[in-house]
Amino acid sequence: SPQGPTICGMPLKYVSLVTLAVQNAALSIVMHYSRVSTPPHLSYSPAAAVLLGEVLKGSISFVVAVWRAKDTADVSWSSRKTLGGVIHSFFPWSAPFRQVCSEIFSLDCWKLSIPAILYVVQNSLQFVAIGNLPVASFQVAYQMKILTTAAFSVALLRKRLTSTKWLSLFFLAIGVGIVQVQTTATNSSNREIRVGSAHDAAPLHIHIMSPLKGFGAVTAACFTSGLAGVYFEMVLKGSKADLWVRNVQLSLFSLLPALLPILYAPALPHSTGFINDLFRHFGGWAWATVTIQVFGGLVTAVVIKYSDNILKGFATSLSIILSFLASVVLFDFHITPSFVIGASTVLAATAMYNQPPSQEPRIISTGGSS
Ligand code: C5P
């Protein structure tokens, strides 16, 4: 169909965009809670979460890639009376398995090393940001990645943006700025939040947040997000290789940078073995964080394939409303007039950017992103 693949009759493109918005809201809330709900000496290692996420994402992508290759894999050799033929008659999956492995280790796999490193850095920065900012402020500030993504799309993918789209990006930055200034101004010193209740396993404690550190991390994450996303889009759309094979390559290249901080971390007191130490205090909330992050990574890949990075950014700004409402209920977040003004500006900019093509010229793509 001209709309591309569909799910239950709906275009995969839009289903994946909406799913991503919901996933984004859920991730920031669950991740925030997982970081602030326990005192620092009882909290899990973000490095372990990032590593586990990459292993899970890579494994799921590998299974999907093998599954998809089952109809296309070359099985001509399987009927021969060779060792390969015998193996195939016992293990019908050996042909797609072999094909996917040879695609994964193809010559151009090194291209994924760049986004892989950037995403590991980004996923780690996200933990710093979310532990030091209220969820809603994190969400809004993280929208700055739309600006970095647009800039990298223009520079690397040679996308052309109309003046309306540039103007909406400008409003977006202003909206983010308003929220940012008000959050840092009202919390210029470290901010304390009380978490835990009589019902929680963890006793009541005070979690100290440092908004400046949080905004520093979020700003850096916006740059890695823009560059990594656009680079992934460039690799994906610049070759015929399967999305899921690319995902496995991405996860494989992530393993080394994800392992580095773990290998260089100081040994824990009362060590009980490497794996036990790594997953110390890795409770339900940590698992939920990793699960939602893995799911998000997979949906992100689908979105980048069937839409593009700029649209992805605007779709996720919808998640601001969701996580904003949730944090009022869950984290006692106080609505201030400047938060409302800033968040509304972000949403208005989103609407402006996404005006249907009939109201303004289409984005002209001059190669690179076909
Ligand atoms: O916020 P942003 O959209 O830049 O986040 C992208 C997220 O998706 C990162 O956590 C990254 O690890 C993940 N991702 C992935 N596989 C891809 C592309 C992105 O897991 N192919």
Side-chain angles (χ1 to χ4, degrees):
S1 101
Q3 293 268 37
T6 55
I7 279 189
C8 305
M10 290 175 288
L12 181 59
K13 177 176 172 173
Y14 297 111
V15 174
S16 57
L17 284 167
V18 173
T19 310
L20 195 65
V22 177
Q23 179 274 343
N24 256 255
L27 180 63
S28 46
I29 290 163
V30 172
M31 198 187 232
H32 181 79
Y33 189 78
S34 77
R35 296 311 289 161
V36 304
S37 61
T38 51
H41 68 282
L42 290 180
S43 67
Y44 65 93
S45 149
V50 171
L51 179 68
L52 182 64
E54 291 305 334
V55 171
L56 288 175
K57 232 162 27 187
S59 312
I60 295 172
S61 300
F62 183 75
V63 171
V64 176
V66 171
W67 179 264
R68 283 167 55 87
K70 75 179 189 310
D71 298 328
T72 56
D74 174 19
V75 289
S76 58
W77 47 270
S78 64
S79 55
R80 293 180 212 139
K81 292 197 165 36
T82 56
L83 183 61
V86 175
I87 292 176
H88 181 76
S89 59
F90 283 105
F91 304 105
W93 289 102
S94 61
F97 186 87
R98 273 168 51 140
Q99 178 182 313
V100 168
C101 288
S102 72
E103 282 173 19
I104 290 170
F105 297 104
S106 59
L107 273 181
D108 72 345
C109 68
W110 63 269
K111 286 183 185 166
L112 276 297
S113 59
I114 295 166
I117 295 171
L118 290 169
Y119 275 139
V120 169
V121 172
Q122 176 186 342
N123 290 342
S124 311
L125 284 169
Q126 220 175 333
F127 278 99
V128 177
I130 206 133
N132 286 294
L133 290 173
V135 174
S137 315
F138 165 79
Q139 275 282 349
V140 176
Y142 209 21
Q143 298 312 306
M144 281 295 274
K145 68 185 170 186
I146 300 177
L147 211 54
T148 57
T149 302
F152 285 118
S153 295
V154 169
L156 297 177
L157 291 170
R158 309 231 168 279
K159 282 211 169 114
R160 294 257 177 86
L161 299 182
T162 58
S163 44
T164 314
K165 287 194 193 293
W166 278 118
L167 196 64
S168 63
L169 288 168
F170 176 71
F171 280 131
L172 178 79
I174 300 222
V176 171
I178 293 172
V179 176
Q180 205 155 326
V181 166
Q182 73 99 21
T183 315
T184 8
T186 50
N187 308 293
S188 51
S189 58
N190 287 351
R191 188 186 138 112
E192 294 178 348
I193 50 171
R194 295 178 153 270
V195 274
S197 72
H199 310 292
D200 283 357
L204 184 84
H205 74 277
I206 309 272
H207 177 83
I208 300 184
M209 298 201 285
S210 155
L212 219 55
K213 192 172 162 187
F215 276 125
V218 104
T219 307
C222 286
F223 276 93
T224 56
S225 165
L227 183 55
V230 170
Y231 203 97
F232 186 72
E233 186 175 341
M234 205 163 74
V235 173
L236 203 61
K237 295 182 176 169
S239 80
K240 287 210 163 52
D242 185 56
L243 165 69
W244 301 96
V245 169
R246 289 300 193 200
N247 268 347
V248 179
Q249 293 173 329
L250 191 67
S251 287
L252 282 179
F253 276 110
S254 300
L255 292 183
L256 191 65
L259 266 169
L260 281 182
I262 292 170
L263 297 178
Y264 280 96
L268 290 178
H270 320 297
S271 170
T272 51
F274 179 73
I275 298 289
N276 281 346
D277 286 356
L278 187 56
F279 291 102
R280 197 177 278 190
H281 309 306
F282 213 88
W285 286 103
W287 276 102
T289 301
V290 171
T291 309
I292 299 174
Q293 191 157 35
V294 166
F295 177 67
L298 299 174
V299 179
T300 298
V302 172
V303 165
I304 293 178
K305 171 144 177 120
Y306 296 107
S307 315
D308 67 44
N309 271 293
I310 302 184
L311 268 181
K312 170 177 80 70
F314 277 94
T316 54
S317 61
L318 281 182
S319 67
I320 296 176
I321 304 177
L322 297 175
S323 48
F324 171 69
L325 294 178
S327 30
V328 171
V329 177
L330 297 174
F331 302 120
D332 198 22
F333 183 79
H334 295 291
I335 308 171
T336 60
S338 42
F339 182 88
V340 174
I341 295 171
S344 316
T345 310
V346 168
L347 291 172
T350 306
M352 187 170 163
Y353 187 94
N354 287 307
Q355 275 180 39
S358 57
Q359 291 177 25
E360 65 164 335
R362 289 171 61 84
I363 300 175
I364 306 158
S365 171
T366 52
S369 63
S370 56

